[in-house]
Amino acid sequence: MLTSKKLELRRSEIRQSLAELANIETPSEDEVRKMGQLDSEYRAKESQFRAALVAEDEERKEAGAELETRSEAEWANMASQFEVRQVALALDEGRKLDGATAEMVQELRNAGGFQGIPVPLEALETRAGETIAGGVPDPMRTMPTIDRIFAGSSATQMGCRMINVGVGEIEYPVATGGAQPGWAGSETGDVAGPQAYTTVDRPMKPDNTLGVQMKITRKALKQAGAGLEQAVRRDMSAAIQQETDRAIFLGSGSSGEPLGIFPGASTYGITETAVDAAASYAAFRAAAVRFMTANTASGPSAVNLLLRPEVFDGMDDLISGLAISEWDRLIAKIGKVVMTTNGIAAPSGDPLESKALLTTTTNGVAPIFCGMWGAVDVIRDPFSDAKSGQLRLTALTTLDVTVARGVQLEILTGVQ
């Protein structure tokens, strides 16, 4: 019991005793002395009660701060115990979910409607230690599944901020006009007049849904066992990551795709500069200087550069008369150089020409925002493959892309 509660109960008992003594018309000396003792004790308990409230208030604040972070920690701990295998078996055989998996599915259902069984994004992360149990008699030992080859993510390396949205739409107001400094022209002159503080909204809407479909044969379900869960998780996660990464840069803005950086350069207000020459350190240095003069980058080390591997191939030859190449000069000065085959279209034309993207993070504001709504919705088609006993899964996730300030990005075209 709290100390304040104990003191409150004691004060109540003292008040009751004093009320009984106060009703006596001619109290004796012992009764008068007892009233004095109770009165002194009541005043002392009153001071102790106020002190206990102050102390417990600090404890409540500390406990509250712990509870604010405890929910995220508990959620991450539960996600680490989530079993995708249970979801597959529930969809295939109707098996009942249990443990942390059942608890997380129920929590996600309460937060939003899902047609199938909701799977949290954290559950698709690769986990260690989930292999086929040893010591089980088996005429053939099945080794862990060898994953397919997917392109690595380059969006996050270029400063893209991934945002998880619960429900509804989200927008970022960006200031476009505000305070302007000015000097008084004379002793009694006025300073510069007031300027309107204006903003423009950069919304993200849940209009683009990405789907990943996969079939799992009955043999795979029976042969792979628990090891299948990890392979399915890695495959679905990598497929979603690869297509999300491609859409952030190359999304057409039609046919269900979000509008990516390269096709949406004019919409987002991104400057496009034609190089129309062989890739060189000088061309990329000039773009970094434009960032610095626009007050978006503090130096070349704050600039990220996205290139095709073919550009690296053309820049890595030694400069005539020197022991370094254009590539050596580039990586020595530019903050981060990222190569991709997924985020930039393959070179074309004669001579072959590619594109490059430069980004920078300014005052903590990311150059690119990618919003993802809710969890991954896993749905099974119970009819198409019923005759063969196959399990067909569809994983759906909704996302959108936007750019807050176009001046934090620049596209270079005609990079030969």
Side-chain angles (χ1 to χ4, degrees):
M1 183 182 296
L2 294 174
T3 303
S4 60
K5 189 65 178 178
K6 294 178 181 178
L7 292 170
E8 186 176 2
L9 292 175
R10 178 55 185 160
R11 289 165 62 224
S12 177
E13 294 173 357
I14 294 174
R15 286 195 299 269
Q16 185 176 357
S17 300
L18 287 172
E20 294 174 356
L21 293 172
N23 290 328
I24 301 176
E25 295 183 0
T26 55
S28 63
E29 292 182 2
D30 291 339
E31 292 169 339
V32 171
R33 185 168 56 255
K34 186 175 181 181
M35 283 190 287
Q37 293 173 348
L38 291 174
D39 181 62
S40 299
E41 183 182 358
Y42 185 84
R43 287 197 297 270
K45 297 299 182 186
E46 178 71 22
S47 301
Q48 291 178 332
F49 179 72
R50 288 195 297 269
L53 287 179
V54 172
E56 290 168 4
D57 183 62
E58 293 296 327
E59 294 176 1
R60 289 189 186 97
K61 289 180 180 179
E62 293 176 1
E66 180 185 352
L67 289 174
E68 289 178 358
T69 57
R70 185 183 298 172
S71 59
E72 296 182 3
E74 289 177 351
W75 182 262
N77 182 51
M78 289 176 60
S80 67
Q81 304 174 48
F82 192 96
E83 296 182 354
V84 180
R85 176 169 53 89
Q86 285 196 40
V87 176
L89 292 174
L91 293 172
D92 185 43
E93 305 173 0
R95 182 176 297 186
K96 185 177 179 181
L97 302 176
D98 57 25
T101 303
E103 189 174 347
M104 291 195 75
V105 168
Q106 184 61 40
E107 187 75 19
L108 290 168
R109 287 194 185 282
N110 293 337
F114 295 92
Q115 296 182 31
I117 298 179
V119 178
L121 288 171
E122 296 88 344
L124 296 179
E125 296 175 353
T126 302
R127 304 174 191 165
E130 296 182 10
T131 57
I132 300 175
V136 178
D138 191 350
M140 180 181 293
R141 183 178 180 184
T142 303
M143 301 304 293
T145 305
I146 299 175
D147 299 332
R148 293 186 293 161
I149 298 177
F150 291 95
S153 174
S154 54
T156 53
Q157 296 183 68
M158 292 297 292
C160 178
R161 179 181 174 187
M162 309 300 290
I163 303 168
N164 190 270
V165 185
V167 293
E169 300 179 2
I170 184 172
E171 64 180 15
Y172 285 89
V174 181
T176 56
Q180 295 291 335
W183 295 94
S186 62
E187 183 179 356
T188 58
D190 295 333
V191 297
Q195 300 291 325
Y197 186 82
T198 57
T199 61
V200 61
D201 293 331
R202 301 294 190 189
M204 286 192 290
K205 301 179 180 180
D207 295 338
N208 311 293
T209 298
L210 171 63
V212 176
Q213 288 192 339
M214 62 187 343
K215 283 185 179 182
I216 304 175
T217 64
R218 185 173 180 81
K219 178 180 178 181
L221 287 169
K222 302 302 181 184
Q223 183 182 43
L228 181 64
E229 175 191 346
Q230 194 177 34
V232 169
R233 181 189 299 120
R234 289 195 303 264
D235 202 68
M236 294 180 70
S237 176
I240 292 173
Q241 173 187 292
Q242 176 175 284
E243 182 55 26
T244 300
D245 201 59
R246 187 201 67 82
I248 289 174
F249 296 109
L250 298 176
S252 63
S254 60
S255 302
E257 294 185 1
L259 183 60
I261 302 304
F262 287 99
S266 58
T267 302
Y268 296 132
I270 301 172
T271 300
E272 293 186 88
T273 303
V275 176
D276 295 334
S280 66
Y281 165 67
F284 300 119
R285 179 186 60 195
V289 170
R290 286 191 289 271
F291 273 166
M292 289 185 279
T293 55
N295 296 321
T296 55
S298 57
S301 60
V303 177
N304 304 317
L305 175 60
L306 186 68
L307 297 171
R308 289 278 308 189
E310 294 86 347
V311 177
F312 156 71
D313 184 41
M315 294 181 65
D316 202 34
D317 293 331
L318 295 180
I319 302 172
S320 178
L322 298 177
I324 61 172
S325 64
E326 293 283 349
W327 182 259
D328 295 329
R329 299 175 65 190
L330 178 66
I331 62 175
K333 297 295 179 65
I334 298 297
K336 181 184 293 184
V337 180
V338 181
M339 286 187 283
T340 180
T341 56
N342 189 42
I344 301 179
S348 60
D350 186 16
L352 290 175
E353 292 183 343
S354 180
K355 292 183 178 180
L357 174 67
L358 292 95
T359 67
T360 184
T361 299
T362 307
N363 297 328
V365 178
I368 309 167
F369 291 85
C370 178
M372 302 187 73
W373 274 259
V376 178
D377 196 359
V378 178
I379 305 171
R380 176 182 186 253
D381 179 356
F383 307 107
S384 300
D385 304 307
K387 293 182 179 180
S388 61
Q390 294 183 88
L391 173 63
R392 178 179 294 192
L393 297 178
T394 301
L396 302 176
T397 184
T398 301
L399 59 90
D400 196 13
V401 179
T402 192
V403 170
R405 293 188 295 220
V407 294
Q408 291 181 228
L409 301 93
E410 183 171 345
I411 296 174
L412 301 182
T413 61
V415 181
Q416 299 174 2

